[in-house]
Amino acid sequence: MTMIETEQLTKTYNGRGGCRGVTLQVPEGRIFGLLGPNGAGKSTFVKMLAGLHRPDSGRATVLGQPLGRAEARRKLGYLPELFRFQDWLTPTEVLCFHGRLGGLRPRETRSPAFRGRIRDTLELVGLSEAADRRVGGFSKGMQQRLGLAVALLLDPELVILDEPASALDPVGRYEIRSLLKRLRGKGVTVFLNTHLLEDVEELCDEAAFLDGGELLASGPLQELLGGGGANWRFRLGGWLPATWAELNDAVGGSLSSMLRLVEADDQGNALLTARVTDREQAGYLCSLFIRSGLTLYESGPEPNSLEAWFLRMAGSRQGGVPQ
């Protein structure tokens, strides 16, 4: 089942900002990341999916229903980027109130089953010990956890999270990542709007990139980053002008399909990169260099591959990578 499907979805503000002509699909049971620089139109797009903004044009379905339908909202959990809870309420009271907003009758919210659901949800987000404290004394991170509890309270099939880890410390972010992985394991679909690239790299099966209100790329994360496997780098010594041709002969003329020479200097130092499927393939290349008389100074996966892709995508609208 396709949990989110949009076709040429457009929303602007007096013809400016927002997003234009966004077409994408989010499959069931995946964690889908929405990326883009500030002002790209991500929050506008998320608010349309949540039924808070009406599109100017285009069409979209959420959980198989047109945007804003009550049938879809009952199965949808939503954490907005900016939210406030009443300072005088406790987390237990906040969740009880949102149970009512979700369509439960007063007697249902007072039932032992629902009270148990509240306790389980607060424990899930790490707030069980603060269940009866006033929200007004909460830190930003604790309020963020409470917002996530509200989104998860009614056992949704789809969760839309707008910057869910923005106020959390590294420990809190690790815990939220673990929670989102457990939700995916239960078959829950997560749509994640975030600027934290390490969260996307760690969590997401698929991603989309918005910039200037336009969708520039969408698909499985590994395909967006260049296919399966990992980018690997090799820093070598003893490189000569004839080395590339010698290596090419050693592998039967297919070197260019495996390696890319990034740089080489007059002192014989060279940096090469490759897209490898596993460590064994990287090990083969290391042995090839050593057999050819080269000195292997460094070999390992390239760091921040998602960051490099993000910068390339953002720079593509400006004629180059931002400095």
Side-chain angles (χ1 to χ4, degrees):
M1 177 181 178
T2 300
M3 302 297 278
I4 297 173
E5 184 171 9
T6 73
E7 183 178 344
Q8 295 297 311
L9 199 64
T10 298
K11 170 69 178 178
T12 62
Y13 306 95
N14 296 321
R16 304 174 61 185
C19 54
R20 292 175 288 280
V22 178
T23 298
L24 62 75
Q25 294 183 338
V26 177
E28 183 178 9
R30 306 288 182 86
I31 300 180
F32 192 102
L34 183 63
L35 294 168
N38 292 337
K42 304 189 300 298
S43 289
T44 295
F45 184 73
V46 167
K47 288 176 181 177
M48 283 193 286
L49 296 181
L52 300 177
H53 281 341
R54 291 185 177 180
D56 298 333
S57 61
R59 56 171 292 275
T61 59
V62 173
L63 291 155
Q65 300 288 334
L67 292 180
R69 288 286 180 87
E71 294 89 341
R73 286 186 174 184
R74 293 191 185 99
K75 303 175 184 178
L76 170 66
Y78 173 54
L79 173 64
E81 180 181 10
L82 301 174
F83 59 88
R84 285 291 302 272
F85 298 114
Q86 295 86 344
D87 290 347
W88 59 89
L89 295 181
T90 67
T92 297
E93 292 168 336
V94 168
L95 294 185
C96 186
F97 175 64
H98 280 270
R100 293 282 304 278
L101 292 178
L104 298 180
R105 296 183 177 91
R107 59 182 174 82
E108 291 177 301
T109 62
R110 293 192 295 268
S111 70
F114 186 69
R115 293 294 172 156
R117 176 68 186 171
I118 288 176
R119 287 193 299 271
D120 291 344
T121 304
L122 290 176
E123 183 177 359
L124 193 65
V125 301
L127 285 179
S128 56
E129 295 184 1
D132 297 316
R133 290 170 50 187
R134 301 297 174 186
V135 173
F138 279 15
S139 67
K140 288 183 179 180
M142 293 175 72
Q143 293 198 30
Q144 196 90 18
R145 291 171 183 269
L146 181 55
L148 186 57
V150 169
L152 299 177
L153 176 64
L154 298 180
D155 201 18
E157 296 178 16
L158 169 66
V159 180
I160 297 177
L161 306 176
D162 200 347
E163 301 290 358
S166 59
L168 300 178
D169 60 22
V171 173
R173 283 170 48 201
Y174 172 80
E175 292 173 348
I176 296 304
R177 286 199 299 264
S178 298
L179 170 59
L180 296 183
K181 289 177 182 178
R182 292 202 300 273
L183 291 175
R184 176 175 56 191
K186 294 169 55 179
V188 177
T189 304
V190 178
F191 188 89
L192 181 65
N193 175 27
T194 181
H195 67 279
L196 299 174
L197 299 184
E198 58 268 39
D199 287 352
V200 175
E201 202 159 26
E202 173 75 17
L203 290 169
C204 292
D205 306 292
E206 301 193 21
F209 189 92
L210 277 178
D211 194 8
E214 298 180 4
L215 182 68
L216 301 188
S218 178
L221 188 60
Q222 289 300 328
E223 289 185 10
L224 294 177
L225 297 179
N231 290 317
W232 212 269
R233 61 190 296 154
F234 307 91
R235 196 170 294 278
L236 305 168
W239 189 269
L240 299 171
T243 299
W244 182 270
E246 294 171 359
L247 290 172
N248 195 47
D249 289 341
V251 297
S254 60
L255 192 65
S256 60
S257 65
M258 304 170 64
L259 283 167
R260 183 172 71 92
L261 178 61
V262 178
E263 60 184 35
D265 61 26
D266 295 338
Q267 284 73 47
N269 300 304
L271 174 64
L272 287 81
T273 62
R275 189 75 181 171
V276 300
T277 56
D278 50 41
R279 288 180 176 269
E280 285 72 20
Q281 191 176 46
Y284 164 74
L285 291 172
C286 290
S287 66
L288 174 66
F289 299 141
I290 294 170
R291 290 199 308 270
S292 300
L294 298 168
T295 302
L296 182 63
Y297 293 126
E298 177 188 340
S299 170
E302 283 194 288
N304 300 324
S305 58
L306 181 60
E307 180 181 49
W309 178 81
F310 184 101
L311 292 173
R312 287 197 303 272
M313 294 302 299
S316 68
R317 295 182 58 86
Q318 305 170 15
V321 176
Q323 299 298 313

